[in-house]
Amino acid sequence: MMANEILRRLRREQRWTQAQAAQRVCAQVQAATGRDPELDANWISRLERGAITWPSGDYRAALCAVFQVGSEAELGLHPKGEPAGTASAQDASSAPADDVSSLYADTELSARLARHAAATNVNGLVLEQFDADVERLAGNFVSQPLSLLVPEIRTLRTDVFRLLEGRQHPAQTRHLYVLAGWLSGLAAHVSLDLGHQPSASTHARTVVQCADIAEHPRLRAWARSFQSLAAYWTGDYRRAADLARAGCEDGRGPGSGTLMARLLSLEARALAAGGDGRSALRSLALAHEARSSAERDELPGVFAFPEAKQWAYTGTTLLAVGSDEQVQRAIAASNRAVELYQTGAESDRSPGDLHAAHLDLATAYLASGEVEGAGTELAAVLGADQYTASITIRLRKLDTLIGSGPYRDSRPVVDLREHIHEVTARPALVSTPTEPR
C-alpha cells in the first residue's frame, strides 16, 4: 500500500486539516446529489495512506472540485490494482508529447465517461414496480390496518433510499426522489395518526426536499397540504392557512387533480378556526369551484381528496364560522359527507373521515339544542375500538362543549361524557389508520 503524497501535499497547501477537507467534500457531494455522505477525517486519512485509491464517482468528482484540479490523476487517485502514473491515469499535462499517444489518452477518457454515464443500479421495471407499490399502499391506507402497512412502507422507503445512494441516469434519479417523497408522505401520515407531531414534521420536510430535487410541483403542493393539516391540529391556524395558500402556487395546472380543492378547503377550515369567517367562506366557495374542474388524481386513497372528504371539511368550516344559518348549512354538508362515505366503495371508506362527519353533526345538533340528535351521532363514533389522534382531539373538544352547555347535568349528557372520557383515555391508534382530519 503506497501513500498518496499528492493528495496530502494539496491538502497541506490549502492549510486544511483532514476534518476540514472532509467537510468540504461532503458539502460538494450534497450540492451535486442532494444527499449527505457523512464523510469524516478518517476517510481523508485513508485516502492519504493509500487505503482507498479509487473512491466512487460522486466522491472523485467532489474531490476534483474541492481541490480545483482537472482529473483524478492530479489527486494521485487511480483504480485499484493499477499503479499511479500509468497512461490511463495521467492527466493531459503529463501525457506523452507524441500525438498518437495523446489521441489514445483522450479516447480512453471519453470511453471512461461513457461507461460512467451508462452505469445505473435501476431499470424501468424496477421503477414501475415501485410505482405500483406506492399506488397500492396509498389506496389501502385509508381502510386497512396500520399494522399491515407500516412494515412495507418502511421496507420500500429503505430500498428507495439505498438505490439513491448508487448511480442512475438523471431521469431515473428524479423518479426515485418522487417515490421517496410519496413514501415519506405515507410515513408522515402514520406519525400524525399516532399523534407524534415531531416525527410527522420531519417526514414532511423530507417530502418537500424530495419534491424540490425532483422538480415535482404536485408533490410539493401535497407536502404543503400535509404541513397545513399538521399545523391545524396543533392549533396554529394562521400557519395552517399560510401553508395551504403557499401550496396553491404549485397545485395549479395540468395533472394537479384535486389538489386545489384540498388546499382551498384546508385554508378555509384554518381561517374559520382562526376567526376570519368572511375569508373562510370565500375560500370555501373557491374550493367547490376547483372541485367542479378537477381532474383525476395521480394517486388514490390518502393522496386523493374525494368529494365526501370535501363535504366533511365544509361542515367543519361552516361550524367554525358559527352563525345559525351556517350551522344549518354545516348539518347539510356533514350529512352529505356521511351519505357519500356510506354509499361509496368499501375500499374508499375512511373510518376517520366518517367519524369526523358524525362528530361535526353532533356539535351542530348541540349548537341547535338538539341533544338527542347529538347523542345519536356520538353513538355512531363511540362504538369504535380505536381512534386517530385527531378524532381523539375532536372528542375532547366536544366533551368541553357539552360540559359548558345547559344540559351538562342531565343524565343522558352525563352518560355521554363518561363514555367520551373512557374512549379518549385509551392508548394511541394501533391498528386502524386513517388520514388525520
Side-chain angles (χ1 to χ4, degrees), residues 33-287:
T33 68
R35 61 185 177 83
D36 185 357
E38 299 183 0
L39 304 175
D40 57 15
N42 181 57
W43 185 75
I44 297 293
S45 175
R46 293 180 69 199
L47 287 171
E48 293 181 353
R49 296 197 314 270
I52 300 175
T53 65
W54 195 246
S56 68
D58 290 340
Y59 295 166
R60 297 198 308 274
L63 284 163
C64 288
V66 166
F67 288 101
Q68 299 182 357
V69 298
S71 70
E72 293 95 335
E74 293 180 69
L75 294 171
L77 300 176
H78 57 88
K80 189 174 182 180
E82 179 179 306
T86 60
S88 63
Q90 290 176 353
D91 67 350
S93 64
S94 61
D98 182 81
D99 289 342
V100 175
S101 297
S102 296
L103 181 62
Y104 173 80
D106 287 341
T107 303
E108 175 62 17
L109 284 174
S110 290
R112 285 171 54 197
L113 174 60
R115 290 193 297 270
H116 181 73
T120 179
N121 61 354
V122 71
N123 59 38
L125 286 175
V126 171
L127 293 173
E128 185 179 330
Q129 184 60 54
F130 275 127
D131 287 337
D133 289 337
V134 169
E135 183 173 349
R136 174 176 50 79
L137 286 169
N140 291 344
F141 197 94
V142 298
S143 58
Q144 290 198 7
L146 186 61
S147 58
L148 297 180
L149 302 176
V150 169
E152 187 175 4
I153 293 171
R154 183 181 297 117
T155 298
L156 286 175
R157 289 180 76 221
T158 301
D159 289 346
V160 170
F161 290 171
R162 283 176 178 166
L163 285 172
L164 281 168
E165 291 176 350
R167 283 192 52 74
Q168 310 88 32
H169 302 155
Q172 293 171 332
T173 302
R174 285 193 295 272
H175 196 149
L176 285 171
Y177 272 113
V178 172
L179 288 165
W182 290 126
L183 288 166
S184 295
L186 291 174
H189 266 301
V190 169
S191 295
L192 201 56
D193 276 351
L194 295 173
H196 202 284
Q197 285 278 351
S199 294
S201 297
T202 296
H203 292 309
R205 284 190 291 271
T206 300
V207 180
V208 174
Q209 180 77 353
C210 289
D212 287 344
I213 293 170
E215 298 180 341
H216 196 290
R218 295 186 300 281
L219 177 58
R220 184 163 49 236
W222 181 87
R224 294 307 184 198
S225 77
F226 178 85
Q227 290 177 317
S228 172
L229 182 72
Y232 176 86
W233 286 113
T234 61
D236 193 346
Y237 303 127
R238 177 177 294 181
R239 175 169 166 76
D242 289 344
L243 284 164
R245 201 173 295 119
C248 289
E249 297 298 318
D250 292 307
R252 297 183 174 90
S256 59
T258 58
L259 270 170
M260 283 301 295
R262 177 196 290 267
L263 289 160
L264 287 164
S265 295
L266 284 162
E267 181 185 15
R269 187 172 70 167
L271 288 168
D276 189 352
R278 180 176 297 179
S279 297
L281 292 174
R282 187 183 307 116
S283 294
L284 196 61
L286 291 172

Side-chain angles (χ1 to χ4, degrees), residues 377-395:
E377 299 301 328
L378 265 174
V381 177
L382 295 177
D385 293 330
Q386 292 172 320
Y387 307 96
T388 62
S390 61
I391 294 300
T392 300
I393 292 171
R394 282 179 179 270
L395 282 167

